[in-house]
Amino acid sequence: MPLCEHTQTHPYHTDKRRAYFQCTRCDLVFVDRQALLAPHDEKAIYDLHQNHPDDAGYQRFLSRLATPLLARLAESPRNGLDFGCGPGPVLANMLRDAGHSIACYDPFYAPDTQVLARGYDFITCTEAIEHFYHPAEQWTQWLSMLKPGGYLGIMTKLVQDPAAFSRWHYKNDLTHVSFFSRQTFQFLAAQAGFELTFLGNDVILMRKPLL
C-alpha cells in the first residue's frame, strides 16, 4: 500500500480518467497505480504553476500555516526543512524572514538529497503531500529527520466522503494521487505518538514527542 503495510482496499470512486481505492486500515484514498504519470509528464504540469515569491495572495494563503507554526516555535532561530518547495520557495522565504534557517527539498526543483540526512526542528509540506506516489517513504523520512519536540506542518485538502469526492475538483489534477482525510492523519499521529492539531479545512500540525 502507498502509506501503510495493510493489503486490504476497496474501490472508492471511478471517473473517466482514473480509478481510486481506499485502504481499510489508514483510510488513504489513492489512484490506481496504472494511472501514475511518468516523471517528465508530471513535471510538465508543475512547470505551469504560477506561484511567484512576490505574490501577496499566495503569501496570505501560505500564512495560514506559517502563522500558527511560527507562534509555536521558540524565539531563538530554528532549523527547518521545506519539503516539496517547488520552483519558487515562497514559504521558505517567509520563514527565513522570521529569523529561521530553512533548507529546501523538491525532487524536481531542489533535488539535493543531502538535506534529507539532517535533523530539523520543523518540517513543512504545503500542497505537496497529495502528489506523493509513495507517501510511506516520505513519512518515514520525516519521522527520522524531525527532532524530538519538533513540528510537522502540512497543507492539503482533506477527503470527506465518496459523494463529495465525486464532485471534488481537487481530484481532477492528474498529479494529485494521494488523498488524506482527518482519519488518515489521526492514524499517522497515533502510530507515531504525535500530538495532532487541525486548523481550518486544510492545515495540519503535528508535534513529535520529547524524549
Side-chain angles (χ1 to χ4, degrees), residues 106-204:
D106 188 285
F108 292 109
Y109 301 103
D112 180 8
T113 57
Q114 292 185 4
V115 302
L116 303 180
R118 306 173 191 164
Y120 295 96
D121 300 304
F122 62 94
I123 298 171
T124 58
C125 181
T126 56
E127 290 295 318
I129 197 171
E130 64 275 4
H131 300 283
F132 292 173
Y133 285 12
H134 307 287
E137 295 180 9
Q138 283 77 39
W139 178 251
T140 300
Q141 285 178 325
W142 292 348
L143 291 180
S144 65
M145 291 187 293
L146 196 62
K147 296 178 180 178
Y151 286 93
L152 173 61
I154 298 169
M155 290 186 73
T156 190
K157 300 293 189 294
L158 298 176
V159 173
Q160 297 181 27
D161 54 59
F165 191 89
S166 69
R167 304 185 299 270
W168 201 22
H169 70 91
Y170 206 60
K171 74 179 187 313
N172 297 333
D173 185 333
L174 294 181
T175 67
H176 289 180
V177 298
S178 295
F179 304 92
F180 293 70
S181 64
R182 283 177 173 255
Q183 291 78 12
T184 307
F185 284 115
Q186 288 166 350
F187 170 85
L188 292 173
Q191 289 286 306
F194 281 18
E195 174 187 318
L196 173 64
T197 304
F198 293 104
L199 300 172
N201 295 324
D202 60 353
V203 177
I204 302 94

Side-chain angles (χ1 to χ4, degrees), residues 53-87:
D54 56 354
D55 185 335
Y58 190 54
Q59 291 179 19
R60 286 194 298 273
F61 171 75
L62 293 175
S63 70
R64 294 190 293 110
L65 171 62
T67 298
L69 175 62
L70 289 170
R72 288 165 169 78
L73 298 176
E75 292 183 4
S76 57
R78 299 292 179 180
N79 294 317
L81 171 68
D82 187 17
F83 193 105
C85 61

Side-chain angles (χ1 to χ4, degrees), residues 34-56:
Q34 300 297 320
L36 298 178
L37 297 176
H40 64 277
D41 293 326
E42 186 183 5
K43 184 177 183 296
I45 295 176
Y46 299 148
D47 288 342
L48 299 175
H49 292 181
Q50 300 291 325
N51 298 327
H52 297 292
D54 56 354
D55 185 335

